[in-house]
Amino acid sequence: MALLDGLNKVQQEAAAYTEGPSMIIAGAGSGKTRVLTYKIAHLIEKGVDPFNIMSLTFTNKAAKEMKARIEEIIGTQARSVWMGTFHSVFSKILRIEADKIGYPSNFTIYDSDDSKSIIRKIIKEEQLDDKTYKPNLVLGRISSAKNNLISPRDYNNNASLLSTDKESGKGKIGDIYTIYQERLKRASAMDFDDLLFNTNVLLRDNADVLIKYQRRFKYFLVDEYQDTNHSQYLIVKRLAAQSENITVVGDDAQSIYAFRGANIQNILNMNKDYTNLKTFKLEQNYRSTQNIVNIANSIISNNKKQIEKTIWTSNDIGEKISLNSTLSDTEEGSLVARNIFSIKNTQHANNTDFAILYRTNSQSRSMEDALRKMNIAYRIYGGLSFYSRKEIKDLLSYYRLVINHNDEEAMMRVINYPKRGIGSTSLDKLRIEANRLQMSLWDLMTNIMQSNILAKGTANKIYDFVNMIRTFALDLKKKNAYDLANDIAKKTGIYSTLYAAREDQDGIMRFENVEELLSSIKEFTEEENDEADAVEMRTLELFMEDIALHTDADKNNEENQDVVTLMTIHASKGLEFPYVFVVGMEENLFPSMMSLTSRADIEEERRLFYVALTRGEKQVFLSYAGSRYKWGNLQYSEPSRFLSELDSKYVEDNTMDQLLSYDQSPIVRSMQATKNKDFKSFVSKTKPKSKLQSRKQVDIQTNNKKLKRVEKSTVRSGVSHDQANSIKEGMEVFHDRFGRGKVETIEGPKGDRKAIVVFANSGTKTLILKFAKLRILKQ
DNA sequence: GTATTATCTAAGTCT
DNA sequence: TAGATAATAC
């Protein structure tokens, strides 16, 4: 048992329980990865062949890290364990067994952009209104059908689905689904959901294949089980039916992927599926301070449905949760950056000790700007990823087309890029003909010279293109990934086109991106093969398989750079940081506007907030902004309802001081004077839980309301826009309270411009010009 | 068939 | 605001 010595009692029991089904309910920070790691190591030490173990994780990075840790414990045999995400592990199996489900093994994996583009085309072809049939919405319907293993035929036979669609005026979704699936098939492509759907089909319809993998895999471990969907659930259930050696690990409180079909019932129903299920609860949190654990508990207790458990910690009490407010998103950014800067100095912390977490990717912008101004290095995970840039997609599309000629999305992207004189008129003709003959564009094009759809000249150009792609394909098995990739970049003319277009900053960047892609392929080519892959040359096909399911979260911080982490809360799941900033704590943003209509959605948002809080080890900072830019428009916002759920015992509320520091107008000051009056009238309308809590809460809310009132009235009676707009950088100005100062910079759109003013005696202040009655002293 | 200009719409989270 | 698409001119 020496191996498991480093674990606490429950952890040990969970790790040592190897035979039969078990479920580990693991609270945030309770060491579940540790338990999983040691359980696998323990299995192998016990004599189980690593070849017989399948471990499914949420990200490929998690799998990689776990593998490395097991290797540290028991050596290189760990490499033979099959580890990865559902999507990556089963796409591997699908390639091996492709012929059983009527696919070629070189099928392409379509990402959501590809899927969306097909849906758009279908909507257009079917002459449906794209305002009624929004691609995202249609795709969401199709995706959830697939995750529940409903085929197009099932869909069109399902009265309840059809009537739901009809009632919402979208009766054609079933038809779109049918056509969509035909197009994917014709392109030899699968979308993300197909990888799971088709695995189910494979295992359901081919008893021999099912038995083969049941014999191969004797032990199954599934991490983040609360985030599996029905399709994933069934795959595991089928494969584990023979051995029943299945371990699932999860935390219902951290279920945040219902929107993509995750079904919390999977975890709640485990004991129905496996009557001899053994359940372990990891309740001790090793990650966070008492304050953080307590506040997280207080938040999650607002949710109705939960598995009973008590998360506790023996760590220090720690700092209180810091609650902050600013007038705008820009200022929120600089507040965060300033805080990071000062903690770095006072606590001798590194950049890597900090994470800034937000609800939506678009919020990264203001944080980025602020960090850059303060010269703090950062790295954004997610968002517009490298692989979704145009120039990268173009080149990758060539690779895709060379590997799978039927890949129509790739084909349409590159057939006339660089320009070959094959325009949209010809392509439309080809597409219509291909649809009529139910054949792929490629098949039609290979016969182009025999048909008379196109003029001779155009046909010739297409013939040349087809030949070029064929020539590249001859090298797929002969050349390594880099050599072929490089060949394609050069011979197609992409490389030279981008080289020639380095006129501006954007052009230079595009060229550099392509170079970066090529060098990453080079790196890939030189890496060692994973044990689970056959020992063979690192080909372009392997590279493309690798990146199809590779997400930003999988990217390692290879150079071990000292950077602040910026990511969505979703992406932060499973991670931890000493200092965590959760920004944009505003109604309609977090919780998201889309979630407000249903209780279940709000509860998911709340779990998301729980996840955010529990990422913190030492201290958590929450902030909200009174206004924020959305699509280039300024929008005003209210503090998030979640803030009113915080138990004030654990909160240090800075919002009052912060709001008052912006009092540039007499009206705000008069507001201060009448504070108590307003406060009382507000309190009488609320039924506080506890005095302390309500007090803080009321402060936040009344402040915000007053602020809005003030803004409205000042806009009307205060400085006119003309006058506010006449203030320019470099001017000397006078402020009633701050005195004399010089305008450093001016930013923001007309009507909402802000000035950073350096005052002689009051320091540097950011002022909203339409409120701040600045007098111009010197032009 | 291609270049230029006007107009639209998007960002909710992810494999 | 910015990128994508449609409309228009060449």
Side-chain angles (χ1 to χ4, degrees):
Chain A
M1 219 25 162
L3 182 70
L4 304 179
D5 278 353
L7 304 178
N8 74 25
K9 192 157 168 287
V10 196
Q11 288 176 334
Q12 268 186 25
E13 285 168 9
Y17 192 87
T18 56
E19 307 306 306
S22 67
M23 172 161 81
I24 304 171
I25 301 296
S30 63
K32 72 184 163 79
T33 314
R34 218 169 137 75
V35 172
L36 269 179
T37 311
Y38 275 86
K39 182 157 190 172
I40 296 171
H42 177 64
L43 276 170
I44 299 173
E45 201 195 44
K46 243 181 70 176
V48 172
D49 189 340
F51 191 76
N52 296 139
I53 302 173
M54 178 186 282
S55 166
L56 298 163
T57 53
F58 199 71
T59 63
N60 288 309
K61 187 185 174 194
K64 235 182 190 172
E65 285 174 0
M66 205 186 288
K67 223 174 205 184
R69 281 166 74 175
I70 301 170
E71 203 174 324
E72 276 170 30
I73 305 170
I74 52 134
T76 54
Q77 41 175 341
R79 289 190 204 162
S80 308
V81 177
W82 268 43
M83 245 184 222
T85 61
F86 271 89
H87 290 86
S88 67
V89 165
F90 294 110
S91 75
K92 231 177 237 173
I93 290 181
L94 281 176
R95 287 197 197 279
I96 297 169
E97 313 291 345
D99 57 315
K100 311 274 194 325
I101 51 163
Y103 265 88
S105 66
N106 62 351
F107 63 82
T108 305
I109 298 169
Y110 272 4
D111 66 17
S112 4
D113 285 345
D114 296 317
S115 301
K116 214 183 286 177
S117 145
I118 301 178
I119 295 286
R120 272 208 199 93
K121 276 180 219 158
I122 297 173
I123 289 169
K124 211 173 205 180
E125 284 168 18
E126 299 297 302
Q127 298 178 334
L128 299 168
D129 176 21
D130 60 358
K131 291 207 174 60
T132 318
Y133 292 89
K134 293 202 169 127
N136 274 330
L137 195 139
V138 175
L139 214 46
R141 279 300 270 177
I142 293 176
S143 172
S144 82
K146 284 186 182 178
N147 287 328
N148 289 303
L149 298 177
I150 297 168
S151 68
R153 184 181 296 181
D154 298 338
Y155 197 105
N156 287 307
N157 287 329
N158 186 318
S160 132
L161 284 172
L162 292 182
S163 74
T164 310
D165 285 346
K166 243 197 200 118
E167 276 161 27
S168 64
K170 301 176 186 75
K172 294 279 186 190
I173 290 183
D175 295 341
I176 299 175
Y177 184 16
T178 308
I179 302 171
Y180 173 69
Q181 218 48 36
E182 281 168 11
R183 294 288 158 84
L184 284 171
K185 191 75 200 293
R186 204 207 294 164
S188 303
M190 297 190 197
D191 66 16
F192 290 129
D193 302 318
D194 283 337
L195 295 174
L196 306 173
F197 185 100
N198 287 331
T199 301
N200 268 302
V201 171
L202 174 74
L203 299 177
R204 182 194 68 198
D205 297 347
N206 299 275
D208 52 328
V209 178
L210 177 62
I211 290 168
K212 175 175 156 191
Y213 288 100
Q214 282 179 342
R215 287 202 180 128
R216 157 86 202 249
F217 297 109
K218 305 280 194 218
Y219 293 88
F220 297 88
L221 301 102
V222 189
D223 197 5
E224 308 283 9
Y225 195 65
Q226 76 280 0
D227 286 325
T228 53
N229 59 36
H230 183 65
S231 188
Q232 292 167 318
Y233 158 83
L234 263 190
I235 293 173
V236 176
K237 196 171 178 217
R238 286 203 161 103
L239 284 175
Q242 205 56 42
S243 67
E244 293 218 334
N245 291 327
I246 172 172
T247 307
V248 303
V249 187
D251 178 6
D252 57 313
Q254 294 184 66
S255 156
I256 54 174
Y257 281 99
F259 72 90
R260 69 171 210 221
N263 187 354
I264 209 159
Q265 291 304 319
N266 290 349
I267 217 168
L268 302 175
N269 287 342
M270 268 302 274
N271 50 9
K272 287 185 192 137
D273 288 328
Y274 303 96
T275 46
N276 54 337
L277 180 77
K278 177 87 180 159
T279 303
F280 301 92
K281 280 187 192 174
L282 307 181
E283 297 178 302
Q284 181 174 3
N285 176 309
Y286 291 94
R287 176 187 297 154
S288 314
T289 64
Q290 285 181 29
N291 274 325
I292 295 175
V293 169
N294 288 337
I295 203 120
N297 284 342
S298 78
I299 284 293
I300 203 68
S301 67
N302 287 288
N303 274 7
K304 289 225 164 106
K305 253 199 256 166
Q306 288 184 76
I307 295 177
E308 211 172 291
K309 58 183 169 306
T310 317
I311 308 303
W312 61 279
T313 185
S314 61
N315 290 345
D316 288 346
I317 292 178
E319 301 286 333
K320 287 186 174 181
I321 278 61
S322 165
L323 179 59
N324 305 281
S325 74
T326 60
L327 284 189
S328 70
D329 48 355
T330 319
E331 282 144 21
E332 187 184 31
S334 39
L335 181 80
V336 169
R338 279 203 309 273
N339 273 328
I340 292 178
F341 188 82
S342 90
I343 295 172
K344 273 179 71 176
N345 285 330
T346 55
Q347 313 292 317
H348 305 292
N350 295 314
N351 288 333
T352 43
D353 295 334
F354 299 90
I356 303 176
L357 307 180
Y358 33 76
R359 179 64 180 77
T360 66
N361 279 304
S362 57
Q363 289 166 256
S364 67
R365 187 71 168 273
S366 50
M367 295 297 138
E368 254 185 291
D369 290 347
L371 291 172
R372 223 181 294 124
K373 268 186 201 148
M374 300 277 291
N375 247 330
I376 299 171
Y378 62 89
R379 165 146 161 46
I380 299 181
Y381 288 78
L384 186 69
S385 90
F386 181 72
Y387 294 108
S388 53
R389 287 165 207 273
K390 184 188 177 300
E391 61 277 17
I392 299 304
K393 281 201 134 183
D394 290 339
L395 192 46
L396 291 178
S397 291
Y398 270 106
Y399 301 160
R400 277 165 52 172
L401 188 60
V402 169
I403 292 166
N404 169 15
H405 302 331
N406 292 328
D407 185 340
E408 201 162 309
E409 289 304 305
M411 168 80 84
M412 294 307 284
R413 244 196 125 84
V414 300
I415 189 163
N416 200 31
Y417 177 80
K419 294 256 160 2
R420 298 190 173 82
I422 306 170
S424 54
T425 318
S426 309
L427 289 173
D428 284 347
K429 278 186 199 158
L430 283 173
R431 275 234 311 279
I432 290 165
E433 186 68 3
N435 285 345
R436 193 177 68 81
L437 299 170
Q438 295 282 307
M439 62 183 353
S440 75
L441 264 186
W442 175 266
D443 288 340
L444 184 63
M445 282 163 60
T446 52
N447 296 313
I448 197 71
M449 299 309 274
Q450 282 78 50
S451 82
N452 52 1
I453 316 161
L454 298 178
K456 200 79 188 217
T458 320
N460 264 326
K461 289 172 193 163
I462 288 177
Y463 181 75
D464 290 344
F465 178 77
V466 165
N467 268 340
M468 177 177 77
I469 298 297
R470 274 183 171 150
T471 313
F472 290 138
L474 290 176
D475 287 337
L476 273 172
K477 311 275 179 212
K478 286 189 211 147
K479 288 190 172 165
N480 69 36
Y482 176 72
D483 289 343
L484 182 54
N486 195 36
D487 253 19
I488 296 174
K490 303 260 159 76
K491 289 182 184 161
T492 53
I494 285 211
Y495 193 86
S496 52
T497 308
L498 287 169
Y499 184 82
R502 293 165 308 138
E503 286 147 351
D504 50 9
Q505 205 52 43
D506 287 352
I508 294 170
M509 209 161 80
R510 275 193 284 274
F511 179 71
E512 285 175 353
N513 283 337
V514 164
E515 294 231 290
E516 193 183 326
L517 175 65
L518 287 173
S519 69
S520 79
I521 299 178
K522 184 156 196 160
E523 227 170 83
F524 173 86
T525 310
E526 286 159 2
E527 266 171 40
E528 269 180 58
N529 260 320
D530 196 74
E531 286 293 306
D533 292 324
V535 185
E536 58 194 19
M537 187 167 53
R538 304 279 276 173
T539 61
L540 192 58
E541 285 181 275
L542 283 176
F543 175 79
M544 293 302 284
E545 167 77 11
D546 200 50
I547 62 162
L549 298 168
H550 194 280
T551 65
D552 239 33
D554 296 330
K555 235 184 242 170
N556 280 320
N557 185 356
E558 287 117 354
E559 295 86 28
N560 272 325
Q561 293 159 325
D562 184 32
V563 291
V564 172
T565 298
L566 275 69
M567 54 171 55
T568 62
I569 303 168
H570 280 92
S572 76
K573 193 168 73 156
L575 305 178
E576 56 189 20
F577 304 88
Y579 302 96
V580 167
F581 293 81
V582 187
V583 301
M585 293 299 307
E586 292 141 35
E587 213 47 23
N588 293 330
L589 180 61
F590 192 20
S592 153
M593 195 175 341
M594 322 275 211
S595 71
L596 299 182
T597 46
S598 91
R599 169 161 193 110
D601 285 353
I602 287 278
E603 294 213 341
E604 176 148 318
E605 297 282 310
R606 193 176 283 115
R607 291 193 294 270
L608 193 58
F609 186 34
Y610 177 80
V611 168
L613 291 167
T614 52
R615 299 310 94 200
E617 294 170 11
K618 290 185 179 163
Q619 202 177 358
V620 173
F621 298 79
L622 307 175
S623 57
Y624 61 87
S627 68
R628 180 176 294 284
Y629 278 92
K630 216 174 187 181
W631 305 308
N633 292 317
L634 191 69
Q635 306 217 317
Y636 294 102
S637 32
E638 301 264 340
S640 167
R641 68 186 66 193
F642 295 148
L643 295 178
S644 63
E645 296 169 3
L646 295 169
D647 188 333
S648 63
K649 268 183 293 197
Y650 313 116
V651 178
E652 177 194 290
D653 186 351
N654 305 314
T655 57
M656 193 58 154
D657 293 342
Q658 284 160 342
L659 287 179
L660 292 180
S661 75
Y662 285 99
D663 62 344
Q664 298 99 14
S665 69
I667 295 181
V668 175
R669 258 180 280 151
S670 73
M671 177 189 101
Q672 263 179 282
T674 59
K675 193 181 106 198
N676 286 329
K677 216 166 110 196
D678 265 10
F679 177 62
K680 273 179 201 150
S681 67
F682 187 87
V683 167
S684 64
K685 285 178 206 145
T686 56
K687 281 180 188 158
K689 264 191 210 161
S690 75
K691 271 185 183 166
L692 259 177
Q693 184 177 350
S694 68
R695 166 85 200 217
K696 297 266 182 196
Q697 194 42 43
V698 168
D699 281 356
I700 298 168
Q701 295 188 351
T702 46
N703 257 325
N704 201 271
K705 278 184 186 151
K706 281 174 202 159
L707 197 72
K708 276 192 113 170
R709 235 178 286 143
V710 169
E711 276 164 1
K712 272 182 202 147
S713 56
T714 31
V715 171
R716 259 184 255 119
S717 62
V719 184
S720 75
H721 288 289
D722 285 356
Q723 198 179 329
N725 285 336
S726 64
I727 290 174
K728 302 258 153 55
E729 290 179 7
M731 282 179 174
E732 275 188 34
V733 291
F734 185 82
H735 185 272
D736 284 345
R737 182 151 163 249
F738 299 130
R740 227 182 152 90
K742 194 175 174 189
V743 180
E744 191 82 0
T745 48
I746 292 195
E747 53 191 39
K750 260 188 232 152
D752 272 299
R753 303 200 316 157
K754 284 169 233 166
I756 296 173
V757 185
V758 184
F759 289 100
N761 299 318
S762 319
T764 307
K765 306 271 176 207
T766 303
L767 305 174
I768 296 184
L769 286 177
K770 70 182 176 197
F771 305 145
K773 290 182 173 172
L774 289 177
R775 273 187 287 150
I776 299 167
L777 294 179
K778 204 170 153 193
Q779 298 278 342

